Amino acid sequence: MRWFRFAFLITAAAVLQSSALLGTISLTDMHIKPDLLLILLVYFAINCDSYDAIICSFAIGFAADITGAAIGPHFIGFGVLGAALAHIRKVILLKQTRQQAVTIFVMGILTYTLAAILIKFKIPSAAASMFKIFAVSIYSAILWFLVKWLVRAAGKWLGVGVHRFGIKPEER
Amino acid sequence: MARVRFKPSKLTLFIGLFLFGCVLLLLPQNATSKLNFAFIDIFGFFLNMSSSAAYYYQPPSTSPDFVPRHEYNRLWVVFSNLQAELFEQKKQIEDLGKVRLTEPDPSTGIVLAKVVNRKDNQFIINCGSNSGLKTGQYVLGDNAVIGVVEQASEDISSVRLITSSTCKIPIKISAPQINTYFNGTMQGDDKNGAIIVNIPQKYKIKAGFNVYAAEKAGFLQSPRIIGRISKCVIGEANPVIWDIAVEPVYNLNSITDVAVIVINLTAGG
């Protein structure tokens, strides 16, 4: 993993995520838009070795916090569930695009529900809409079919996605 | 001598990062919000690329008989605020006949700010506590109340818009026929409008009535227009109260400059 490139990619994704540019593809008057950081979380958790996946998950969670309202909830939510997905990946390969889209959907619901619970500790007045969490997760899952080529190309640029289905030869 | 590279085990790494996350979560919001504001400060240019505010620019009309919709809205807001002030002053003149006012009014200050970023039902503005901003102050867009200050750091603040369900504002509904106001509380619907809760049906309220932010000691001295009632029907869940929907005066996406009401209590005395 090339960590400087990874930092650049995550920063770019965080800026794009909170920019007005992504608002142009938002749906309904609830401004539902896909979550690029969620897509990256699932991609790195599936394709990195589990050690790197833990670091990636917490780092992406931190980026999600920076773009949000409070620091901490997404760091824990993304970190814990990303690490869990990296562990599950050893049992279930998740190599098909459809399986990955379903994973994005499930991870979206779990991470944002956990983050919504944790954010209450910090900002008691914060309100989370389960419908919005559901809608963002499903939108992100659908977007995966369109951006998977781009994300995989970015992954190769970072040096991930080479040892896909399990551990590296030197770890055996 | 070879340098030993420290590489913790997976479990140690996970537990370490998790505990770090718990520390971040437990740190006070005032301290960690500086990171959020710093992010917006650094990447402000990129965040506002293709901002929706650009779409609302309309060239000035050349006809002397017509004004653009935005200009009409601005004039209507000024008219509504003047009407509310006139009503208040009429009441005050009536009261003056009975009681002499002994305390002078505290002076009201206005701090102008630019919207540097917009999120879901939230604006980030380029003024903070250095300009006298603090949590709870009312924010105006072209003289209409559009939200309240949620957090203020030294030179940047976040504004919770009236369309957010976490923004609850005491309001007055004007009833022009009987020349009075009905009091209530308004909160956002997380879409493009707001709702007024718990108004009993004994109050004769209709669609089209104006909604004003009520006076609040230390924050707002006279009622300010927020919007109009767009829907007023019998409550589905509770038929004793009204289901009231409020349409803000402005499309909040088109606002690029705001004014914050900063009441300086010491200046008046």
Side-chain angles (χ1 to χ4, degrees), chain A residues 18-151:
Chain A
S18 52
S19 73
L21 197 64
L22 207 67
T24 54
I25 57 164
S26 65
L27 300 176
T28 77
D29 50 4
M30 288 182 81
H31 306 293
I32 291 159
K33 52 187 181 182
D35 192 335
L36 302 178
L37 294 170
L38 173 68
I39 291 172
L40 290 177
L41 171 78
V42 172
Y43 175 78
F44 285 114
I46 289 174
N47 290 285
C48 289
D49 68 69
S50 50
Y51 192 90
D52 286 350
I54 293 171
I55 301 172
C56 288
S57 303
F58 279 100
I60 294 169
F62 187 70
D65 276 333
I66 289 277
T67 60
I71 304 287
H74 291 95
F75 186 86
I76 295 175
F78 276 50
V80 169
L81 290 161
L85 179 63
H87 202 69
I88 290 167
R89 189 274 318 259
K90 289 176 182 170
V91 184
I92 306 167
L93 291 179
L94 299 171
K95 62 179 181 177
Q96 288 179 1
T97 307
R98 269 178 301 172
Q99 291 174 335
Q100 291 166 351
V102 171
T103 309
I104 288 170
F105 172 67
V106 174
M107 284 290 285
I109 289 181
L110 293 177
T111 49
Y112 280 101
T113 307
L114 181 57
I117 293 166
L118 291 174
I119 209 166
K120 285 272 179 193
F121 286 104
K122 204 147 192 177
I123 309 174
S125 64
S129 155
M130 275 312 290
F131 172 75
K132 195 165 182 183
I133 290 173
F134 178 84
V136 168
S137 305
I138 208 156
Y139 196 176
S140 306
I142 292 167
L143 191 75
W144 172 241
F145 289 97
L146 301 173
V147 299
K148 63 178 179 178
W149 315 109
L150 202 65
V151 176

Side-chain angles (χ1 to χ4, degrees), chain B residues 175 178 180 182-183 198-206 209 232 234 238-244:
Chain B
I178 50 173
T180 188
F182 299 122
N183 295 314
N198 296 332
I199 299 282
Q201 279 200 32
K202 65 178 180 183
Y203 298 142
K204 301 299 173 201
I205 293 169
K206 291 176 191 165
F209 280 12
C232 182
I234 296 166
N238 186 354
V240 184
I241 59 169
W242 291 113
D243 264 355
I244 301 174

Side-chain angles (χ1 to χ4, degrees), chain B residues 150-222:
Chain B
E150 190 181 33
Q151 286 179 57
S153 73
E154 283 177 3
D155 51 5
I156 200 165
S157 305
S158 63
V159 176
R160 183 56 60 185
L161 299 179
I162 52 169
T163 51
S164 166
S165 59
T166 55
C167 179
K168 293 180 182 172
I169 293 181
I171 50 100
K172 287 179 165 186
I173 304 167
S174 81
Q177 290 98 338
I178 50 173
N179 213 15
T180 188
Y181 288 117
F182 299 122
N183 295 314
T185 304
M186 191 185 85
Q187 70 179 83
D189 61 3
D190 283 333
K191 294 175 187 169
N192 290 326
I195 53 170
I196 299 172
V197 290
N198 296 332
I199 299 282
Q201 279 200 32
K202 65 178 180 183
Y203 298 142
K204 301 299 173 201
I205 293 169
K206 291 176 191 165
F209 280 12
N210 291 342
V211 179
Y212 295 86
E215 308 95 315
K216 194 173 173 186
F219 293 99
L220 193 64
Q221 285 181 296
S222 62

